[in-house]
Amino acid sequence: MTVIKNANAMQFDPPQTWEGVDIVIDGDTIAEVGRNAGAKYTAEKEIDAGGKLVYPGMVCSHHHYYSGMARGIMANVGPTPDFVSVLRNLWWKVDRAQDEESLYYCSIINSIDAIRAGTTAVIDHHASPNFIRGSLDTIKRGFTDAGLRGMTCYEVTNRNGAEGQREGIEENIAFAQEAEKEKQSGERHLVE
């Protein structure tokens, strides 16, 4: 059990705020929110929020983790009058450049950024045509090492030929089966 003391708390649905309250967390459940609510419980851990704002974690419902190291990229991408030209001239080049190591670091970078922004779960839509098999496990490792919940999938497309399309499908199936095994086993399960 954890008690967060002296917090200004907020929830989104329905909208509500509380000032100077304790938040009592039992396992994964918020058991109680209120003034001096923690006094009724024996907490294993107490955190003094110091009047800071505490609110539910955000969910990022659309991300591309392979783009994690593309910040501030100074690339001559040519004319980009439409979305397809942006894909061809930039993003499809970035995703083709990924290997296991760069993808892992992209996953760590994006996971840390998500956590810093108050995001507790991310849905990633992935592509790395030169590193398909094992790519979702690599992303999962970044999520897990950062302690972030996530969902990921491999883009199924024929833009890289029939073989790439088939490998993308196989990668999704293998990853989904492994995630289901983890769920069924009761192991700590952060990523699907």
Side-chain angles (χ1 to χ4, degrees), residues 3-7 9 18-24 30-40:
V3 175
I4 301 172
K5 297 182 145 305
N6 189 26
W18 301 267
E19 291 185 14
V21 296
D22 294 349
I23 303 168
V24 180
I30 295 174
E32 189 172 348
V33 175
R35 288 202 186 274
N36 299 315
K40 301 180 216 171

Side-chain angles (χ1 to χ4, degrees), residues 1-4 23-27 29 42-47:
M1 182 160 302
T2 301
V3 175
I4 301 172
I23 303 168
V24 180
I25 304 164
D26 188 2
T29 304
T42 303
E44 295 167 17
K45 182 176 183 180
E46 280 192 9
I47 299 167

Side-chain angles (χ1 to χ4, degrees), residues 21-185:
V21 296
D22 294 349
I23 303 168
V24 180
I25 304 164
D26 188 2
D28 291 337
T29 304
I30 295 174
E32 189 172 348
V33 175
R35 288 202 186 274
N36 299 315
K40 301 180 216 171
Y41 300 90
T42 303
E44 295 167 17
K45 182 176 183 180
E46 280 192 9
I47 299 167
D48 182 2
K52 292 182 180 165
L53 181 63
V54 177
Y55 58 88
M58 307 298 256
V59 174
C60 172
S61 62
H62 187 115
H63 207 305
H64 296 279
Y65 263 32
Y66 65 78
S67 69
M69 293 192 292
R71 300 164 193 187
I73 193 168
M74 298 299 289
N76 182 4
V77 296
T80 53
D82 55 39
F83 184 62
V84 173
S85 65
V86 172
L87 291 172
R88 281 191 185 120
N89 296 338
L90 178 62
W91 294 117
W92 289 346
K93 290 178 181 180
V94 169
D95 72 16
R96 277 188 190 91
Q98 294 297 323
D99 61 14
E100 183 175 5
E101 182 180 29
S102 64
L103 184 57
Y104 172 74
Y105 287 111
C106 284
S107 184
I108 284 288
I109 288 166
N110 286 316
S111 294
I112 291 169
D113 279 352
I115 292 165
R116 287 183 65 199
T119 303
T120 58
V122 174
I123 300 171
D124 172 58
H125 307 271
H126 178 63
S128 56
N130 292 321
F131 174 53
I132 298 174
R133 289 196 179 133
S135 62
L136 298 181
D137 283 331
T138 299
I139 292 168
K140 174 186 174 185
R141 198 163 31 104
F143 271 116
T144 303
D145 288 353
L148 183 66
R149 287 188 171 99
M151 297 176 84
T152 189
C153 64
Y154 193 87
E155 168 187 276
V156 175
T157 178
N158 65 357
R159 79 174 155 101
N160 303 298
E163 179 66 16
Q165 182 178 19
R166 185 184 60 70
E167 282 186 41
I169 292 168
E170 290 171 0
E171 177 66 0
N172 281 320
I173 291 169
F175 188 75
Q177 288 173 338
E178 188 60 35
E180 189 58 33
K181 275 189 211 172
E182 280 184 8
K183 261 167 98 172
Q184 297 303 319
S185 74

